[in-house]
Amino acid sequence: APSGRPKYHQAMATKPAPPAEPPAAAATPPALGDIRAGRPQVFGSPVKTLLRRSGSILSLIVLDLCGLILGIYSALVLRALTYGEDVLWGAIWRAETSWIPFLGLVMVLVFWRAGLYAERERRGGGGRVVASLILVGIVGLAFGIATNREFGTYGLAPTAIVLTIVFVGLLRASYDVITADLLSFAGVRRHAILVGDRDRIE
């Protein structure tokens, strides 16, 4: 007897359903390589890095000694011209060579202590060079007084310090410019890691 409820019929498939098609493969982007990989470096290995650092330190020491020699020699020539004396180039050089070994050693040690032979990122600038050379001049003057060296005038020391600062500064500036271009050409790249929150990093 009809109950007033709708009748539902369930249909069953008699044929197997076709296999589901696999999802379309995502388009593969072109191979870009590891984005973390830097450019090929010529001086990338530890041995070559050590050799590069040793060459940098040796070059800076040679340039600093050349600046010291030029500064003292120029000061002695300027002193002779100021007092109207004949400029005896050989005698001036012999007088300078008696000071160069001591002052050169003191300068290299002071520069090393001041970080002037460190990596480019940590190497001191012109202010540290000036302070270090003033200290070298004070030590050299104190050594001369303690060993009873005769000074015709005490104005020689400040003049030598100023001229040495000029020569060393020019030589180091030239070195920085030339080596920066060479390292860039060789593919050497430096990176910095900034650690901290956004405000500190900015």
Side-chain angles (χ1 to χ4, degrees), residues 3 19 42 53 65 126 166-167 183 188:
S3 59
V42 176
R53 285 292 306 128
L65 291 176
V166 172
F167 285 116
L183 291 175
V188 176

Side-chain angles (χ1 to χ4, degrees), residues 24-83:
T28 304
L32 298 177
D34 189 350
I35 62 173
R36 297 169 297 177
R39 297 178 60 183
Q41 295 185 4
V42 176
F43 300 108
S45 67
V47 175
K48 291 181 179 179
T49 301
L50 176 62
L51 293 176
R52 177 167 54 84
R53 285 292 306 128
S54 300
S56 174
I57 294 173
L58 182 60
S59 299
L60 286 172
I61 290 176
V62 171
L63 291 177
D64 292 337
L65 291 176
C66 290
L68 178 66
I69 293 172
L70 290 173
I72 296 177
Y73 195 87
S74 300
L76 291 172
V77 171
L78 187 60
R79 175 183 176 276
L81 294 175
T82 301
Y83 286 93

Side-chain angles (χ1 to χ4, degrees), residues 81-106:
L81 294 175
T82 301
Y83 286 93
E85 302 173 355
D86 294 333
V87 179
L88 304 176
W89 307 102
I92 291 176
W93 175 250
R94 286 191 297 271
E96 183 178 14
T97 53
S98 64
W99 284 90
I100 288 299
F102 173 75
L103 291 178
L105 178 61
V106 172

Side-chain angles (χ1 to χ4, degrees), residues 14-29:
T14 58
K15 293 182 179 181
E21 295 182 0
T28 304

Side-chain angles (χ1 to χ4, degrees), residues 5-202:
R5 295 181 180 179
K7 294 182 179 181
Y8 298 94
H9 299 278
Q10 184 176 7
M12 299 182 64
T14 58
K15 293 182 179 181
E21 295 182 0
T28 304
L32 298 177
D34 189 350
I35 62 173
R36 297 169 297 177
R39 297 178 60 183
Q41 295 185 4
V42 176
F43 300 108
S45 67
V47 175
K48 291 181 179 179
T49 301
L50 176 62
L51 293 176
R52 177 167 54 84
R53 285 292 306 128
S54 300
S56 174
I57 294 173
L58 182 60
S59 299
L60 286 172
I61 290 176
V62 171
L63 291 177
D64 292 337
L65 291 176
C66 290
L68 178 66
I69 293 172
L70 290 173
I72 296 177
Y73 195 87
S74 300
L76 291 172
V77 171
L78 187 60
R79 175 183 176 276
L81 294 175
T82 301
Y83 286 93
E85 302 173 355
D86 294 333
V87 179
L88 304 176
W89 307 102
I92 291 176
W93 175 250
R94 286 191 297 271
E96 183 178 14
T97 53
S98 64
W99 284 90
I100 288 299
F102 173 75
L103 291 178
L105 178 61
V106 172
M107 184 187 66
V108 171
L109 293 177
V110 171
F111 276 29
W112 194 289
R113 181 68 179 82
L116 292 172
Y117 298 122
E119 293 85 355
R120 184 183 298 266
E121 297 82 3
R122 300 188 297 109
R123 192 182 305 154
R128 195 169 296 180
V129 171
V130 172
S132 299
L133 286 176
I134 291 175
L135 179 59
V136 173
I138 293 174
V139 172
L141 184 60
F143 175 78
I145 295 174
T147 55
N148 295 322
R149 296 251 180 177
E150 294 184 1
F151 294 94
T153 174
Y154 286 98
L156 177 64
T159 305
I161 292 173
V162 172
L163 292 175
T164 303
I165 289 172
V166 172
F167 285 116
V168 171
L170 290 175
L171 291 174
R172 278 184 166 255
S174 302
Y175 171 85
D176 289 339
V177 172
I178 293 173
T179 53
D181 292 340
L182 291 177
L183 291 175
S184 178
F185 176 77
V188 176
R189 298 293 182 269
R190 288 175 168 83
H191 305 279
I193 299 177
L194 303 180
V195 181
D197 55 22
R198 183 183 300 273
D199 294 336
R200 290 179 179 271
I201 291 177
E202 290 178 354

